[in-house]
Amino acid sequence: MKTVKSLVLGSAAAVLAVGGAQAADLPIKAKAIEYVRVCSLYGAGFFYIPGTDTCIKLGGYIRAEAAFNTNNVFQNQTNGAGGARNRLSNYFTTRSRADLTIDTRTATEYGVVRTFFEGAFQFTGGTVTGSNPSTFTGDAIGGGTLGVFNAFIQFAGFTMGRALSQFDAPWANYPGNTFDGLPGGGGTITGVNQFTYTADFGSGITAAISAQDPTLYSQSNIFNTGGQTAAGVLTGNYGTASFGGNVAPDIIGMVRVDQAWGLVQASVAAHDNHTGFNGATEVTGHPADKWGYAAQLALSVKNIPTGVGDTINVQGVYTNGASRYNFQSLSPINYAMYGGSNMAGAYQSLGFAGVSDSVFATGTQQQLTTTYGVRGAFTHNWDPFWNTAVYGSYAAVRYNATAKALICNGAGIVDLKIAAANCNPDFNISTLGVVTRWTPVKNLTFSADVAWTRLDQKFTGTAVAPAVAAVAKPAATYQLKDQDSVSMLLRAQRNW
């Protein structure tokens, strides 16, 4: 029996071995290798996503920078601890950023379908608020922040999602500067939610109509002077903030002509000012909505006689009830700048100012605020490696007579003992700067930017101010006076 069993098992093993050998001898079809192919349809850097007809391009930059004599990297010492100019003020502020862009495009019967994403991971040095105790605000150890700058879809002429406002000039906030905070025109460099249709008429002529979310980028302040306080006025807040919910998008129209010599662009915006209530509850009533507007003209001239690649970029804007289209999203809208004083009895000098879209009080209607401004730059290329830009900006804020009366008769102005004849919330803000850039190798740039800012405020005389704990200022008499600030921004950036 054992002999038979062994014979059967041995025969089976032999059959399996022969079968296995035959199977091993059969040819096996190798899996096709999908190589990454260059996509030349949309310019350099695109390649096909394997297995699809969609092209993709990855990009971005690494940036390291330090701003001197300011508590942020956006603008000069114009408010907060920086504007205090004491031991709470930073001698320097640093920031590191990694930016990533993802651009995809697919050809369809409706034209190109495009998606675009830009995100920034960054770490910014902080600032100190108050003294004894002090509070540090800034990114945590091992932390940082993530910003979504762009996230949009483009299809058949439509743009849907977060992108630069159609109101902006092509250079957004930067006619030639690296400091972010210049007023004098629109600027949404970190994108704004929108639904836009763009028509291309050929010969470099395009036009767009857009509905954009006003919540963060198109609102400055709506002051209810019934809640005005002395502490608020000292920081440029002439009343309590009074915003209602979102009821209407901003409507943007734009026409642009691109030619070999440069471009010209005209843009307009309509903005609904929708307040909250007069008081803490809905039974206190509210003023009616008022629509504001903005109009901007931008011009760029290329290859001017001063040198190859030299450019002039300039824009001008006028707003009524839509001040953010002048004081762009990275510009300050509240100013509180301290300085020295030679006035007898004055502890120091102080300049404060505030930007608003409208002003009201219980029983009144909204009084829209008017602004106008200009910014521009001339960029000269010394050689292929060095260039210098001289830039500047100017913006003016004007309150009508009714708004001035509401502000100047508010409880805060009265408590500060600012005489009616010395009260005028109008102001001008101007900046002049120069930046030089060195690009030793392609896509690596080092720059130094020096900017001077002047606050030309219209209050005169003195203010008897309470203590401001956030910036460690004592209760004292302050001379109301124009203020100046000078800051420098050093930057290294590698694009890829």
Side-chain angles (χ1 to χ4, degrees), residues 155-239:
F155 172 71
F158 291 95
T159 299
M160 299 156 282
R162 187 176 181 88
L164 289 178
S165 171
Q166 302 303 312
F167 187 88
D168 293 359
W171 49 85
N173 309 19
Y174 310 98
N177 50 296
T178 52
F179 267 113
D180 298 285
L182 293 185
T188 55
I189 192 63
T190 56
V192 58
N193 289 342
Q194 61 187 268
F195 183 82
T196 299
Y197 179 75
T198 303
D200 189 339
F201 300 101
S203 301
I205 303 172
T206 56
I209 183 73
S210 178
Q212 74 178 37
D213 188 340
T215 308
L216 291 176
Y217 290 88
S218 306
Q219 298 179 152
S220 61
N221 290 303
I222 294 180
F223 291 136
N224 180 348
T225 60
Q228 188 188 97
T229 65
V233 170
L234 293 177
T235 59
N237 287 297
Y238 298 133

Side-chain angles (χ1 to χ4, degrees), residues 196-327:
T196 299
Y197 179 75
T198 303
D200 189 339
F201 300 101
S203 301
I205 303 172
T206 56
I209 183 73
S210 178
Q212 74 178 37
D213 188 340
T215 308
L216 291 176
Y217 290 88
S218 306
Q219 298 179 152
S220 61
N221 290 303
I222 294 180
F223 291 136
N224 180 348
T225 60
Q228 188 188 97
T229 65
V233 170
L234 293 177
T235 59
N237 287 297
Y238 298 133
T240 50
S242 183
F243 294 103
N246 236 357
V247 297
D250 282 12
I251 306 301
I252 312 295
M254 182 275 292
V255 176
R256 176 171 157 180
V257 179
D258 286 276
Q259 300 294 319
W261 55 264
L263 65 89
V264 61
Q265 176 179 306
S267 45
V268 294
H271 171 72
D272 180 40
N273 291 288
H274 181 71
T275 75
F277 299 104
N278 291 322
T281 67
E282 60 188 35
V283 298
T284 57
H286 59 83
D289 285 18
K290 274 194 176 182
W291 281 83
Y293 65 89
Q296 178 177 269
L297 189 64
L299 173 69
S300 179
V301 181
K302 300 186 295 185
N303 296 320
I304 56 180
T306 54
V308 176
D310 289 5
T311 59
I312 294 176
N313 295 327
V314 64
Q315 62 197 109
V317 65
Y318 182 91
T319 76
N320 182 248
S323 300
R324 267 301 191 190
Y325 290 97
N326 185 355
F327 290 79

Side-chain angles (χ1 to χ4, degrees), residues 50-63:
T52 75
D53 58 357
T54 296
C55 299
I56 187 170
K57 180 179 181 179
L58 303 178
Y61 61 81
I62 299 293
R63 175 187 295 172

